[in-house]
Amino acid sequence: MSEHTVTITDNKTGKQIELPVKQSTIGPQAVDIGRFFREMGYFTFDPGFLSTASCQSALTYLDGAKGELLYRGYPIEQLAEHSSFLEVAHLMLYGELPGKNQLESFNNIIVRHSMLNESLKRLFGGFYHDAHPMATMVGVVGSLSAFYHDSTDIHNSDHRKIAGHRLIAKMPTIAAASYKHSIGEPQVYPDNSLSYTGNLLNMMFSVPCEPYQIDPVAEKALDLIFILHVDHEQNASTSTVRLAGSSLANPFACISSGITALWGPAHGGANEAVLNMLNEIGDVNNIPKFLARAKDKNDAFRLIGFGHRVYKNYDPRARIIRKMCHEVLAKLGDENDPTFELALKLEEIALNDEYFIERKLYPNVDFYSGLIYKAIGIPTNMFTVMFAIARTVGWVAQWMEMISEDNQRIGRPRQLYTGPTMRDYVDINER
Ligand code: SDX
């Protein structure tokens, strides 16, 4: 069968170019436009990358129309029901679900990297007590490269593996230390006998002066939410990690750049912004006013937690979290929590509103996750930190995949220049 190509014709010059189509396993194929500028003299123009595949990847597949999400081919619903965060981390890093012994040794590797260098711990003291924990995360994660020189040779696969393990293992410790610093409490060392999420809860909420009982419902709920946040194709923060990594920067600096991009309220910062929005709406009777603002082009307000670049159907993760909300709030929080009731009502009204229906704006993963974090007792300014902990697995897996590609090259997009044409300098006395 002849090669699948697409032909583009310049109707100004009549010039044509035949471009090869790259085959996908599932989902859209891609037209390889690598020769386009060289042969046709034009750039392609796609701000926001609505139609652009920046790379090829075997990690995560999502179908926005069907609301499907697969990690290495496994449906998110099945992983949410049967798997654990560290088992999914192994799947993403190494391509297969681990056997019992493999999972146990992976778990042992991760727990043994959970401590921080003692001098790194002093870094937290340099931050103002009311620094947003995401600001601390960006700074401290980036500074890991100042401590772990022995795992920053990115061309050495062992270094890449150790650096990845260190990042996945240390994120909860750094997150908990950021939180403890913000409330003026002493940092708590990781406890290797605890689960990944049990350890995080213990490091966040235990104090030296009394025993702390990890709530198994909270521990399980956090593990499930982390599975849902592990990876999501080439979203803004993952694309940032890949671009930073393409310059051959060390992995700690790359993950720190991912945390920075995730922080924005249009991305991972949305979970914190949803809770703030629900608190601002306050009462069901105020919903019409806020919906009107969300539709008003002159108002920057958007209904945070709704809409998605890819999902034009219900975000499958939001569906899972929404169901979990009922269970967790019934056990941990107040199932009649006015914020949860308000969220359900807001969702119902928005999903029946022509503006949202026409634009296929459904609740996304961030719409409900904050309600569960709140029920677990996690403060609002730590919601995006939770997202960063889980997404570190995806960032590391995507970085490993990119850096080990044969034809890996620096990412360097071009632009459509619309500035002044060339002109001569004018002396200040003549201006
Ligand atoms: C995450 O990419 C990922 O995969 C991200 C993520 C992941 O796991 O990594 O899934 C996590 O970031 C989820 C998204 C969290 N963000 C929010 O909830 C913020 C609120 N949502 C919007 O800011 C917006 O929907 C985005 C940023 C999520 C998507 O933006 P797009 O794809 O650029 O959509 P758009 O701005 O082109 O919107 C299309 C239309 C516009 O109206 P028109 O110009 O056609 O008249 O829909 C409108 C927008 O004004 N619109 C909204 C809206 N989202 C889109 N209007 C009101 N409220 C909203 N939330």
Side-chain angles (χ1 to χ4, degrees), residues 48 50 62 69 71 228-238 262 264-271 273-274 290-291 293-297 300-312 315 317 355-356 358-367 387 391 395:
L50 286 152
L62 39 117
L69 171 58
Y71 288 162
L228 301 179
H229 285 80
V230 158
D231 194 41
H232 213 239
E233 204 209 55
Q234 302 311 317
N235 58 84
S237 52
T238 299
L262 185 76
H267 188 16
N271 54 20
V274 165
F290 280 86
L291 279 190
R293 284 189 59 196
K295 302 176 198 174
D296 179 357
K297 294 303 168 205
F301 175 80
R302 285 205 167 167
L303 211 57
I304 303 294
F306 278 80
H308 197 277
R309 170 56 57 76
V310 178
Y311 288 126
K312 300 308 172 190
D315 182 334
R317 303 166 298 176
Y355 175 93
F356 287 82
E358 194 184 309
R359 290 167 180 78
K360 300 185 184 330
L361 303 177
Y362 291 88
N364 56 48
V365 67
D366 294 301
F367 185 64
F387 195 148
R391 187 52 57 87
W395 289 332

Side-chain angles (χ1 to χ4, degrees), residues 164-183:
H165 292 161
R166 277 176 165 152
L167 281 157
I168 294 167
K170 294 181 194 307
M171 281 297 278
T173 315
I174 295 169
S178 305
Y179 171 61
K180 284 298 199 189
H181 177 69
S182 72
I183 56 174

Side-chain angles (χ1 to χ4, degrees), residues 160-267:
R160 295 200 296 266
K161 201 182 281 188
I162 297 169
H165 292 161
R166 277 176 165 152
L167 281 157
I168 294 167
K170 294 181 194 307
M171 281 297 278
T173 315
I174 295 169
S178 305
Y179 171 61
K180 284 298 199 189
H181 177 69
S182 72
I183 56 174
E185 287 185 6
Q187 292 181 29
V188 175
Y189 284 103
D191 176 343
N192 291 352
S193 68
L194 299 175
S195 71
Y196 191 84
T197 50
N199 213 355
L200 172 60
L201 291 167
N202 186 56
M203 290 189 285
M204 281 185 71
F205 298 122
S206 74
V207 288
C209 34
E210 60 185 49
Y212 169 72
Q213 195 58 44
I214 297 166
D215 186 313
V217 174
E219 186 179 12
K220 175 80 185 112
L222 215 40
D223 194 86
L224 172 53
I225 287 194
F226 280 8
I227 290 173
L228 301 179
H229 285 80
V230 158
D231 194 41
H232 213 239
E233 204 209 55
Q234 302 311 317
N235 58 84
S237 52
T238 299
S239 299
T240 303
V241 170
R242 277 180 171 261
L243 196 57
S246 75
S247 74
L248 309 184
N250 74 69
F252 305 109
C254 295
I255 300 307
S256 176
S257 72
I259 298 171
T260 310
L262 185 76
W263 196 359
H267 188 16

